[in-house]
Amino acid sequence: MKTKNLIAVIAAALLSSCMPQKEVAGDVSFSREDFQTTKELSNPQEIAIDSLLNPAGFRVMNDSVLVVVNQPNCEFLLELYSLNTLQPLAQLITKGNGPGEMFSCALGLHSNASDNFYLQDPNSKTCYIVDLKTLLNSRKFVPDEQFRYSSEVLPTSDLCLLDDNRYIGYHMWYLDDKQFSKVDSPIGYYQKGEDSGKEMDDFTFFMASVNGARLFKNPQTQELWTADMHRDAIRIYNDSLKQIRELVGPDHFSPEYTRRQIDAPVAFVTFADECDYHAYTDYYITDKHIYLVYEGNKHFDMKNLSPVEIFKLDFDGNLLCNYKLDRYVYSISINRKEDTLYCASRPSVMEPPVILKYKL
């Protein structure tokens, strides 16, 4: 190597060693005071659609299409409406065991990044991946793909779809208490169409009412996030599903558990203090940000639902904004400009939800 080039290489190496290196953020314990900003959200606009059947929840796609999932007692389980005209675009999925039929339906739609979303049939444990444009053009339930998912997956959590063969699911039999759980990790890789073959009597305790998390992937990396439904803890995992970071807050729940024997093959696990802890209950992600619905409630009252907060974070875990809402909301959607929040709301679980629009 010529002397001139060697000197240049050495100088570059010295310069690089002198430059500050980016630190890897560790675990964080945070409070509401740690958010960069706090905003009060109140007096939203109501979007009234008289022809709705009996909705369970809503999502907005492409800032223009309202995707409605109905209660199981409806003739159609899925409806599509135009947000511009408030007129129906399609009514899909009748009740039954035949092709294109279900007895109940859960919607997996938490991002404005694409036209794809998924539907879960908890009775047959089948996941259907669909395309919005296909549904609108055909006005028929025509899935792009369908597969059976494992009976080990907690049905109230999410599926994180990865590729043609795999997905990540939250383990139904996991609890962060070794007294009750034989499962080491809350999440795992699963092969589409394959099941573990394990049934309820393969485990000692059933804890579906006290475990679970909102489950999603960083759209820019392979990191996986879980936001616990019953503890105010957010955990981040690498692609080997090893936990690499945890954000705990803002109320620092520490639930304890107890067993309750009922007439079933296994004993049920409940909260020891007879509370009903609700933490992170819904989410929506954009290409840069995460919006987490936080209930922060130790005494969940179905007849009198309390106002919630929505936490805005980036994918580095920075706490950007705490939106304090004037009522209980769920099924949130954020438009592409990130200046509008759409959501479902109701004062109690006995009343039908309404569609609301907040300005962020």
Side-chain angles (χ1 to χ4, degrees):
M1 180 181 291
K2 295 182 178 180
T3 303
K4 184 177 180 180
N5 291 338
L6 178 60
I7 293 174
V9 171
I10 295 173
L14 290 173
L15 180 62
S16 175
S17 65
C18 293
M19 292 177 65
Q21 301 296 309
K22 183 178 179 180
E23 295 183 1
V24 178
D27 294 348
V28 173
S29 177
F30 70 91
S31 67
R32 288 173 176 82
E33 288 70 30
D34 293 315
F35 284 90
Q36 295 179 16
T37 58
T38 299
K39 294 183 180 180
E40 304 277 346
L41 296 185
S42 60
N43 301 317
Q45 174 189 345
E46 182 177 341
I47 301 174
I49 301 177
D50 295 333
S51 57
L52 286 173
L53 298 178
N54 187 9
F58 318 90
R59 302 285 181 185
V60 173
M61 294 192 71
N62 296 339
D63 300 348
S64 60
V65 177
L66 187 71
V67 182
V68 183
V69 173
N70 287 316
Q71 300 284 358
N73 62 344
C74 295
E75 179 183 1
F76 296 97
L77 297 181
L78 182 68
E79 295 183 283
L80 305 176
Y81 282 84
S82 167
L83 269 186
N84 299 320
T85 66
L86 304 185
Q87 295 301 308
L89 300 173
Q91 292 182 309
L92 308 165
I93 308 179
T94 55
K95 290 197 297 183
N97 288 319
E101 295 180 331
M102 304 182 201
F103 285 104
S104 63
C105 179
L107 175 64
L109 174 51
H110 298 275
S111 172
N112 59 15
S114 74
D115 287 329
N116 293 327
F117 59 96
Y118 71 85
L119 299 160
Q120 282 178 257
D121 179 356
N123 295 291
S124 66
K125 301 189 185 304
T126 303
C127 177
Y128 300 89
I129 301 174
V130 297
D131 177 79
L132 178 65
K133 292 180 180 178
T134 300
L135 298 181
L136 292 175
N137 290 334
S138 65
R139 298 198 175 190
K140 296 180 181 179
F141 181 60
V142 183
D144 288 352
E145 179 188 354
Q146 68 183 70
F147 63 90
R148 291 276 301 231
Y149 59 90
S150 173
S151 58
E152 284 187 355
V153 172
L154 182 68
T156 55
S157 189
D158 313 285
L159 301 179
C160 184
L161 306 178
L162 297 177
D163 50 41
D164 292 340
N165 300 311
R166 299 182 306 161
Y167 63 96
I168 296 174
Y170 191 96
H171 205 297
M172 180 185 295
W173 308 99
Y174 172 82
L175 190 67
D176 54 353
D177 188 318
K178 297 301 182 184
Q179 177 184 358
F180 300 109
S181 180
K182 299 179 181 178
V183 180
D184 294 329
S185 175
I187 55 177
Y189 285 108
Y190 293 88
Q191 294 291 320
K192 292 179 179 179
E194 294 184 3
D195 202 343
S196 67
K198 295 180 180 179
E199 301 295 339
M200 181 180 288
D201 54 7
D202 292 317
F203 298 90
T204 307
F205 299 102
F206 184 73
M207 61 279 296
S209 62
V210 295
N211 72 345
R214 314 319 305 183
L215 179 65
F216 53 91
K217 193 168 74 72
N218 183 331
Q220 307 299 331
T221 71
Q222 297 301 310
E223 290 179 350
L224 191 84
W225 288 53
T226 65
D228 202 293
M229 295 179 189
H230 302 286
R231 301 186 68 168
D232 53 344
I234 302 166
R235 300 179 179 94
I236 305 172
Y237 300 82
N238 61 19
D239 58 359
S240 299
L241 302 189
K242 179 182 178 181
Q243 183 176 315
I244 57 176
R245 193 179 180 198
E246 183 177 50
L247 289 75
V248 179
D251 294 311
H252 305 93
F253 293 164
S254 296
E256 295 182 355
Y257 310 97
T258 188
R259 61 177 294 171
R260 181 167 60 91
Q261 190 67 49
I262 62 171
D263 187 17
V266 297
F268 271 52
V269 176
T270 62
F271 295 115
D273 53 9
E274 298 186 357
C275 289
D276 191 356
Y277 292 85
H278 281 224
Y280 295 102
T281 55
D282 194 21
Y283 73 98
Y284 200 82
I285 63 174
T286 68
D287 58 345
K288 296 179 180 179
H289 299 122
I290 309 159
Y291 295 82
L292 293 169
V293 176
Y294 179 70
E295 293 188 14
N297 201 326
K298 298 181 182 180
H299 304 279
F300 182 75
D301 184 355
M302 295 189 297
K303 296 181 180 180
N304 186 21
L305 299 173
S306 301
V308 303
E309 300 166 276
I310 297 179
F311 298 159
K312 179 181 178 181
L313 293 78
D314 62 23
F315 279 95
D316 290 325
N318 295 309
L319 306 169
L320 302 180
C321 186
N322 178 7
Y323 295 103
K324 293 179 174 289
L325 280 79
D326 59 348
R327 66 198 71 197
Y328 181 86
V329 308
Y330 64 104
S331 287
I332 67 169
S333 304
I334 307 294
N335 70 339
R336 294 185 187 278
K337 292 183 179 180
E338 298 192 45
D339 60 6
T340 302
L341 163 70
Y342 298 96
C343 57
S345 178
R346 54 186 176 180
S348 76
V349 297
M350 281 71 74
E351 299 184 44
V354 294
I355 312 167
L356 300 179
K357 178 181 177 181
Y358 285 90
K359 279 295 181 183
L360 298 177

